[in-house]
Each structure stands twice: as structure tokens, then as C-alpha cells.
Amino acid sequence: MLLEVKNLKTEFKLKKGVVNAVDDISFSVDKGEILAIVGESGSGKSVTSLSIMGLIAEPGKVAGGEILFKGTDLTKLPVSELQKIRGDQISMIFQEPMTSLNPVYRVKDQIMESIMTHMKLSKEEALKRTVEMLDLVGIPSPEKRAGDYPHQMSGGMRQRVMIAMALACHPELLIADEPTTALDVTIQAQILELLYSLREKLGMAVLLITHDLGVVAEAADRVIVMYCGKIVEEADVKTLFTDPKHPYTVGLLESIPKMDDERERLYMIKGMVPNPLKMPKGCSFSDRCEKCMEKCKEHIPALIEVNGAKVRCFLYSDAEEGKV
């Protein structure tokens, strides 16, 4: 097992109260596996990835749990030790390549900085590796484009630069936070194919953060569905799409347009995500759930195993007890 997250809690202390952005979640990522975390905006996906990287800024903090990378708890490491792992053994592709890349530095300088820091190569060797990485991610004329500034590249090109930068030191785990957001469909497909082929070529694991179920179906081996900071379902990708269990997952899948869909309007999950400072007493999805029972409004269901998958819903805990 490469990465194991145990009972992770990440909170933000605000003037109006405490927001539990990630609320007691546990999962693992094996070597060479692509694990997707999906959910609406505000579900805790990106905060989970930033917690793993040790990049939670004030007023947020990791308030509990363990993040074990190859057996070492990252939450216990001093910053100096964490910096040696970050960018080397664990790398991250951030959501917005235009804001993640420094606009006043050439592309090559930004990639070379990481290589020279972690791999202790000379400037000439680092430049050579930079060109090789740009070529690896499919950027044409990599020697020439290495001297460009970010604004001289298209969105797809900048995303490839971000991937090249993240992969420059051959990480064992790549965290990709919405790697295809704001890209057109053709470029999205190319980026996903690139990530998949690099996984095969380099043998790295990928933690894919996304709200796009089409991306999940295309790339992932296993899927975690998050809602309001909690995991509500976990399954392999085939099971999730053919036999979704949690009402929230069912709603997400129902809202996807289909070629043979004869409905006049797409399905929409009713209501809104609750205010994180005023969470419902029981299940956080209870106010929006079409199968809500009285106990759902009073108690938080546990994450239980059902037919090889995991689900947080009283429908299935009741079923185990023979009440449904």
C-alpha cells in the first residue's frame, strides 16, 4: 500500500464557527492505481488533496488522523522533511495552470527549479531533463517551447507543462486536482490519455480529484464519492456506474445526459448543499434525499460494506438488520 489515510479531519476556524471541511475520512491508494474522488464543489475533495500535501493554510489545519505514505505519517513530519517528499515522491497538478505557473518566469526555469532541488542535477542536466519531460507530455518543439512564458501557451499546453513539472522527479504518487477543468473536450481526452499512459509507463499511482463523472469513467480504477466532507460511497468504477447505492451517487449519475435520453429536462438533485456552519443534525444529505427516513434526520449513518462496496446510508444498514 502506497498511501493510507486514516480518520483524517481538516477544519477551518472562522469567526462564525468551525467548518469541518474533511470530516473523519479513511481510504488507501495502492501502487499503480488510479483512485478518483468525486463530489460537488465544497464536498472536501481539494481540501483532502491539500491536506495530503501539507499545504493547508491558516485558518485551516489538519485537526486529526494520520496520512501514511509508505508507512511514514506525513502529519508528524517537520516542514523540512515534508519538503523533501513533496515535489519528489508526491507531486500535485493544481486546478488552474495559468495561476499555478509564475507568469514572469519562463517555463523551463519553473520545471528546472524542481529538478535541481530534488535530483541535485547541474543546470545543463536539468535543462536536458526539462526538454525530455516536455517531449514526454506531447509538447511539440520542446526545446523552443521551453523558453516560452506561460501566457504564450494555450490552456492545454499549460496543463501539459504542469504535468511535466509534476512528473519531472518521477513521483510515486501524483495528485491531479481537476486536471481537465476549463479545457475543451478534445484537450480533456488528450490529457486523460496522457495521464493513463504515463501511469502505465512510470508505474505511478494517481489520486484524481474531479467533479466530472465522465472523467472518472474514462480513467479511474476505483472511486470515492464525497459529500459535505464525508465519504458516502466507495466502489470500483464498474460497480459504481452499474450499481450505485447511495441516493447522492444515484442522483449524480441520473443528472448525466445520455444519447438515448427522452426526458424533456435533465434530472436535478433537489435543494442545495447545506451551509457548512449549519449542518443538519443527522445525515448531511437528508434534506435533499428522496428516500429520507426519520432516523436520517437524527443520526449519522456509518460507512458499511455492502456487496464489496462501501456506503454511508441507513437504507443498507436497515437492510442488514432485515428491516427493509
Side-chain angles (χ1 to χ4, degrees), residues 97-98 100-113 123 145-153 158 161 165:
M98 195 60 204
S100 300
L101 292 170
N102 193 318
V104 300
Y105 287 99
R106 298 180 189 275
V107 163
K108 64 180 180 182
D109 297 324
Q110 300 187 54
I111 300 176
M112 286 168 62
E113 181 181 9
K123 195 169 184 179
R145 300 312 298 266
D148 286 353
Y149 289 95
H151 74 269
Q152 294 176 288
M153 294 181 159
R158 289 195 294 268
V161 169
M165 189 184 303

Side-chain angles (χ1 to χ4, degrees), residues 30-43:
D30 291 328
K31 291 182 179 180
E33 179 183 32
I34 297 181
L35 173 67
I37 300 181
V38 301
E40 293 174 88
S41 296
S43 63

Side-chain angles (χ1 to χ4, degrees), residues 233-235 239 243 245 303-313 315-317 319-320:
E233 187 161 355
E234 180 179 344
T239 300
D243 185 24
K245 292 175 174 58
L303 189 67
I304 61 169
E305 191 163 324
V306 180
N307 298 329
K310 293 179 182 178
V311 62
R312 188 185 298 277
C313 184
L315 289 173
Y316 298 94
S317 56
E320 284 192 338

Side-chain angles (χ1 to χ4, degrees), residues 217-261:
E218 181 77 22
D221 300 314
R222 205 156 46 87
V223 191
I224 285 172
V225 182
M226 287 188 69
Y227 185 78
C228 291
K230 289 186 178 293
I231 293 174
V232 296
E233 187 161 355
E234 180 179 344
D236 65 80
V237 69
K238 184 177 180 181
T239 300
L240 189 94
F241 279 84
T242 58
D243 185 24
K245 292 175 174 58
H246 196 280
Y248 177 61
T249 310
V250 173
L252 289 178
L253 292 171
E254 278 291 313
S255 65
I256 300 174
K258 300 174 182 65
M259 292 293 289
D260 57 351
D261 202 337

Side-chain angles (χ1 to χ4, degrees), residues 11-300:
E11 63 183 27
F12 290 80
K13 288 190 177 181
L14 309 176
K15 289 182 180 179
K16 295 184 178 180
V18 177
V19 173
N20 295 308
V22 174
D23 192 2
D24 195 21
I25 70 168
S26 299
F27 63 90
S28 62
V29 184
D30 291 328
K31 291 182 179 180
E33 179 183 32
I34 297 181
L35 173 67
I37 300 181
V38 301
E40 293 174 88
S41 296
S43 63
K45 308 184 303 297
S46 293
V47 175
T48 298
S49 66
L50 292 172
S51 299
I52 294 169
M53 293 293 288
L55 295 174
I56 297 295
E58 289 290 341
K61 69 171 184 176
V62 174
E66 298 176 302
I67 302 170
L68 302 175
F69 180 69
K70 297 195 296 186
T72 300
D73 188 355
L74 301 182
T75 65
K76 301 289 194 297
L77 291 181
V79 175
S80 59
E81 289 298 312
L82 187 57
Q83 286 176 339
K84 293 177 183 178
I85 295 174
R86 193 166 54 207
D88 182 15
Q89 298 176 59
I90 306 176
S91 283
M92 185 167 179
I93 304 170
F94 295 92
Q95 283 190 33
E96 294 290 340
M98 195 60 204
T99 55
S100 300
L101 292 170
N102 193 318
V104 300
Y105 287 99
R106 298 180 189 275
V107 163
K108 64 180 180 182
D109 297 324
Q110 300 187 54
I111 300 176
M112 286 168 62
E113 181 181 9
S114 175
I115 295 171
M116 293 170 70
T117 299
H118 294 291
M119 301 184 77
K120 309 301 180 185
L121 298 180
S122 67
K123 195 169 184 179
E124 292 73 20
E125 291 171 323
L127 178 57
K128 181 181 177 183
R129 181 159 182 79
T130 295
V131 173
E132 288 174 354
M133 294 307 301
L134 292 176
D135 185 48
L136 182 66
V137 298
I139 290 183
S141 306
E143 296 91 347
K144 178 177 179 297
R145 300 312 298 266
D148 286 353
Y149 289 95
H151 74 269
Q152 294 176 288
M153 294 181 159
S154 66
M157 285 285 191
R158 289 195 294 268
Q159 194 64 283
R160 288 171 188 267
V161 169
M162 289 294 297
I163 295 172
M165 189 184 303
L167 299 179
C169 299
H170 281 176
E172 295 176 64
L173 174 65
L174 175 67
I175 300 174
D177 189 359
E178 303 279 9
T180 60
T181 297
L183 301 179
D184 63 57
V185 177
T186 305
I187 301 300
Q188 279 189 27
Q190 291 175 1
I191 295 296
L192 289 177
E193 180 61 33
L194 174 62
L195 285 177
Y196 200 81
S197 65
L198 290 173
R199 187 273 292 260
E200 296 295 313
K201 190 178 296 183
L202 303 176
M204 68 182 179
V206 180
L207 182 60
L208 180 63
I209 312 294
T210 184
H211 65 272
D212 189 333
L213 286 166
V215 169
V216 172
E218 181 77 22
D221 300 314
R222 205 156 46 87
V223 191
I224 285 172
V225 182
M226 287 188 69
Y227 185 78
C228 291
K230 289 186 178 293
I231 293 174
V232 296
E233 187 161 355
E234 180 179 344
D236 65 80
V237 69
K238 184 177 180 181
T239 300
L240 189 94
F241 279 84
T242 58
D243 185 24
K245 292 175 174 58
H246 196 280
Y248 177 61
T249 310
V250 173
L252 289 178
L253 292 171
E254 278 291 313
S255 65
I256 300 174
K258 300 174 182 65
M259 292 293 289
D260 57 351
D261 202 337
E262 296 180 356
R263 295 174 296 183
E264 290 186 8
R265 296 186 66 181
L266 285 174
Y267 175 82
M268 183 176 67
I269 300 173
K270 68 177 183 180
M272 299 286 289
V273 177
N275 185 332
L277 291 169
K278 298 178 181 178
M279 294 296 291
K281 182 179 179 182
C283 173
S284 54
F285 190 61
S286 59
D287 290 345
R288 307 177 72 188
C289 182
E290 295 177 355
K291 297 184 178 181
C292 178
M293 301 176 285
E294 278 304 312
K295 69 187 301 182
C296 302
K297 298 177 181 179
E298 296 295 325
H299 305 284
I300 299 173

